[in-house]
Amino acid sequence: MITGKNYIGNNLSAVGSEIFKTFDPQQNQPNAWEFYEATHDEIDQAVQLAHEAFQQYCFFSGIEKAQFLRTIALEIEALGDVLLSTYCKESGLPQGRAIGERGRTIAQLNAFATLLEEGSWVDATIDTAQPDRQPSPKVDLRKMLFPLGPIAVFGSSNFPFAFSTAGGDTASALAAGCPVIVKSHPMHAGTSELVSSAITIAAQKTGMPNGVFSNLNSKGIMVGQKLVIHPLIKGVGFTGSIKGGTALYKLANERDEPIPVFAEMGSINPVIVFSSALKKEKEAWATSYANSMMLGAGQFCTNPGLILGIKSEDLDRFMEVLGKALEKLEPSCMLHPDIHTNFENGKRTLSEQADVSIVAEYRGDTNRNYAKQKVLKIDGANFLSNTRLHQEVFGPFSIVVECESIRELKQIIQKLDGQLTGTILGSENEISEHSQIVNALQNKVGRIIFNGVPTGVEVCPSMQHGGPFPASTDSRFTSVGTSAIKRWVRPVSYQNWPNNALPDELKDENPLRIMRLVNTIHTNASIL
Ligand code: NAP
């Protein structure tokens, strides 16, 4: 049942007077539930509880934390159809997407549980003492990763499950040993409350300390800002706009004790089409691109928004096929009227720029809040000089840039902002022939794709989801896949520490049988 209250640890709380509702964009009307915005006191209580919980939770074993994560996954599944229908009512997304995203969220939680059960993720590194070393003896040093402390997680609008309450940020922070306070996204506060109830039940069932998880409602920026500046918060996870992410990043850096903000923000995900792809496979690639651009009403951070090719008849023909493919695809509902309005404004602003022309535009009638797809084109020189055209329009929108030469193509790539992904469509020969283009692209992105589309982010250890700014605030880390745990930890070295007093991960006998780097050799053996 949705109560509209905040979860302060295991307790429901609604002492504030600010009330808000979520919105059903398919029906174009507010949902019935009322949510109580968290007050300053409730925010402080949640953080204090998280701080107290951390003192115990940071010492819980990998097996205990894994059991917690696996139980969260089971409890989310047990919420059944109520959770799915709430998700659909608060996002306008279809039930198939809700089921798929729930599956991904459960898989993510279980993947972190498996990582914890195996245990080697702590990067245990041991250099044993050399008392006889000349000219001076060498001390015994042993290092591993430890959790940072309470983390604030901002639920994203476009992934109500997988990047929200029990999404990748929360799962990775809990796996690392950090309590989490979620600032739920105001567009799906009901979905967030239901998922929070699953996390809270799981925490109680598996004996986690009260305060290991809290969920705060808000419809404005106050709750998020209070959280980020709270002295007991030690890190922030965010997915959303460049404006929101950079504001929180600045706030965190202005604190007396600055803290890391891992914000995954905008990207236009350039796709470079070399001549072989234009000649031989233009139909197939234009159709794949159209489908990728339309997926989820274009509301994915990996949505392709820019095509770069050399001006030619083949590129003209590619654009024709792309236009026809796009005109056949039916628009779908966006997450919220505000996001739809942003999309319409962004489309209009870019369409009004000098020297652009239309490649494709959906001209039929649609329901309210549905996103009508559009593709513009422009020549390379004008694109280079107008950086307004380099910015993301969140939704099914793209620009094709007709470059005069490979040299101009390279200049354009070098002028782009940092991106989550970059894609090359072409042949293996073209990759070697145009290695400068490939290298320029690689320097701009977190993931480089050959003959594919950027949408579809596999959740696995080798995934990199995060790129140079403004794609994310710290390109050294990923927000998808099990490496995301590395955002919430810091290394600690023990010098000359007695074996019995060391954490199990660093003991001579290696009781957890984890892989360690011992005297520069990777091994899961004990130290004799
Ligand atoms: P958003 O405006 O960045 O908001 C995300 C979350 O951050 C919300 O909970 C919001 O709180 C909070 N927030 C934003 N600015 C803040 C600030 N200055 N201080 C404290 N908290 C702040 O993103 P959104 O609501 O999800 O969607 C708006 C636009 O963001 C979209 O139209 C799209 O352009 C972009 N977006 C991009 C991606 C991507 O993956 N590239 C994903 C999602 C959204 P409140 O809402 O409570 O104010």
Side-chain angles (χ1 to χ4, degrees):
M1 194 189 75
I2 295 172
T3 65
K5 296 181 182 177
N6 301 282
Y7 269 98
I8 310 296
N10 297 337
N11 297 322
L12 284 166
S13 173
V15 299
S17 52
E18 291 288 330
I19 288 171
F20 67 98
K21 290 184 171 190
T22 58
F23 196 87
D24 183 338
Q26 291 280 8
Q27 300 302 321
N28 200 40
Q29 63 183 27
N31 289 307
W33 314 294
E34 290 187 330
F35 297 92
Y36 295 83
E37 173 142 337
T39 62
H40 291 202
D41 278 354
E42 285 171 321
I43 298 165
D44 191 51
Q45 279 171 35
V47 181
Q48 291 289 350
L49 264 185
H51 172 70
E52 284 158 32
F54 179 64
Q55 314 310 317
Q56 293 177 53
Y57 188 59
C58 66
F59 294 115
F60 276 43
S61 70
I63 301 292
E64 288 167 313
K65 288 183 289 177
Q67 201 193 358
F68 177 31
L69 296 183
R70 290 200 191 282
T71 311
I72 296 174
L74 290 172
E75 292 297 331
I76 289 175
E77 201 152 29
L79 287 167
D81 288 347
V82 178
L83 179 63
L84 297 175
S85 67
T86 308
Y87 171 109
C88 296
K89 276 189 185 146
E90 293 189 324
S91 67
L93 294 167
Q95 201 188 37
R97 161 75 190 269
I99 293 169
E101 200 184 321
R102 182 184 61 178
R104 176 180 166 154
T105 307
I106 286 170
Q108 283 175 175
L109 287 158
N110 288 328
F112 282 109
T114 304
L115 186 83
L116 296 177
E117 284 153 356
E118 195 282 327
S120 305
W121 72 274
V122 296
D123 284 351
T125 307
I126 299 174
D127 293 295
T128 52
Q130 293 174 18
D132 302 332
R133 191 181 70 172
Q134 292 301 329
S136 54
K138 180 169 177 257
V139 293
D140 183 289
L141 276 168
R142 301 180 184 218
K143 179 167 79 169
M144 64 176 276
L145 300 172
F146 282 94
L148 287 179
I151 303 298
V153 168
F154 285 72
S156 79
S157 59
N158 57 341
F159 278 95
F161 288 151
F163 282 92
S164 286
T165 321
D169 287 345
T170 299
S172 56
L174 290 177
C178 299
V180 168
I181 300 169
V182 167
K183 200 246 34 116
S184 80
H185 198 284
M187 292 177 195
H188 44 76
T191 307
S192 193
E193 187 188 328
L194 289 174
V195 173
S196 298
S197 71
I199 300 174
T200 306
I201 292 169
Q204 287 170 319
K205 278 190 178 173
T206 56
M208 296 295 135
N210 186 16
V212 73
F213 176 82
S214 289
N215 179 61
L216 303 177
N217 296 321
S218 89
K219 68 168 172 39
I221 61 175
M222 179 281 285
V223 172
Q225 293 188 334
K226 282 268 162 213
L227 266 180
V228 171
I229 60 173
H230 198 295
L232 297 177
I233 289 289
K234 300 298 176 194
V236 179
F238 171 93
T239 303
S241 64
I242 294 177
K243 191 167 159 244
T246 47
L248 294 173
Y249 181 78
K250 282 194 184 128
L251 208 57
N253 281 287
E254 284 162 11
R255 291 170 36 132
D256 288 344
E257 178 200 350
I259 53 169
V261 173
F262 298 100
E264 192 258 275
M265 305 176 290
S267 204
I268 53 172
N269 303 297
V271 174
I272 294 160
V273 201
F274 283 142
S275 62
S276 72
L278 289 174
K279 273 199 191 342
K280 292 191 212 140
E281 291 175 292
K282 56 177 96 52
E283 277 79 13
W285 283 126
T287 310
S288 298
Y289 187 97
N291 289 330
S292 174
M293 183 182 136
M294 292 293 285
L295 212 61
Q299 301 164 117
F300 287 129
C301 37
T302 52
N303 185 57
L306 181 66
I307 298 173
L308 302 170
I310 305 294
K311 193 173 170 56
S312 61
E313 280 181 13
D314 285 326
L315 184 58
D316 289 343
R317 178 77 192 115
F318 175 87
M319 285 190 273
E320 259 174 53
V321 184
L322 176 65
K324 287 206 176 103
L326 279 171
E327 278 156 18
K328 272 192 233 147
L329 292 170
E330 287 301 320
S332 46
C333 189
M334 296 198 90
L335 295 159
H336 192 272
D338 291 350
I339 291 208
H340 182 254
T341 304
N342 282 348
F343 172 61
E344 285 300 326
N345 290 343
K347 233 174 24 170
R348 188 175 328 105
T349 305
L350 295 209
S351 306
E352 286 167 2
Q353 302 296 302
D355 306 303
V356 297
S357 56
I358 296 172
V359 171
E361 182 173 33
Y362 188 89
R363 292 201 163 87
D365 290 332
T366 59
N367 291 343
R368 290 279 289 271
N369 306 320
Y370 276 51
K372 294 185 186 185
Q373 58 271 31
K374 188 165 189 177
V375 177
L376 301 175
K377 71 171 178 174
I378 189 163
D379 63 72
N382 283 310
F383 183 79
L384 259 176
S385 63
N386 184 355
T387 52
R388 182 65 191 83
L389 293 166
H390 303 196
Q391 285 159 29
E392 179 186 40
V393 174
F394 193 62
F397 174 83
S398 281
I399 299 183
V400 184
V401 179
E402 299 175 291
C403 305
E404 276 305 325
S405 61
I406 286 287
R407 192 169 158 272
E408 189 176 72
L409 172 58
K410 187 177 159 197
Q411 277 179 322
I412 289 173
I413 296 168
Q414 287 174 330
K415 188 104 191 262
L416 290 177
D417 286 337
Q419 304 288 332
L420 289 170
T421 74
T423 300
I424 302 266
L425 303 180
S427 66
E428 287 181 26
N429 282 346
E430 283 167 315
I431 288 210
S432 347
E433 195 185 329
H434 301 303
S435 58
Q436 286 191 16
I437 297 290
V438 177
N439 294 344
L441 188 63
Q442 189 190 299
N443 284 333
K444 286 282 168 185
V445 306
R447 177 163 58 106
I448 186 158
I449 300 154
F450 179 57
N451 284 345
V453 290
T455 44
V457 182
E458 193 65 42
V459 181
C460 61
S462 50
M463 173 52 68
Q464 176 58 27
H465 192 67
F469 188 86
S472 56
T473 45
D474 195 335
S475 61
R476 294 170 298 171
F477 296 91
T478 177
S479 60
V480 174
T482 45
S483 309
I485 197 171
K486 297 282 169 74
R487 295 173 299 169
W488 317 118
V489 288
R490 65 188 180 90
V492 176
S493 275
Y494 290 78
Q495 185 170 326
N496 283 347
W497 213 246
N499 189 55
N500 277 350
L502 284 166
D504 282 351
E505 287 86 345
L506 298 177
K507 285 191 168 115
D508 281 351
E509 54 272 34
N510 193 11
L512 304 176
R513 284 276 160 257
I514 59 171
M515 195 56 102
R516 313 188 291 186
L517 188 67
V518 179
N519 295 326
T520 72
I521 294 179
H522 280 109
T523 173
N524 61 1
S526 54
I527 298 168
L528 298 173

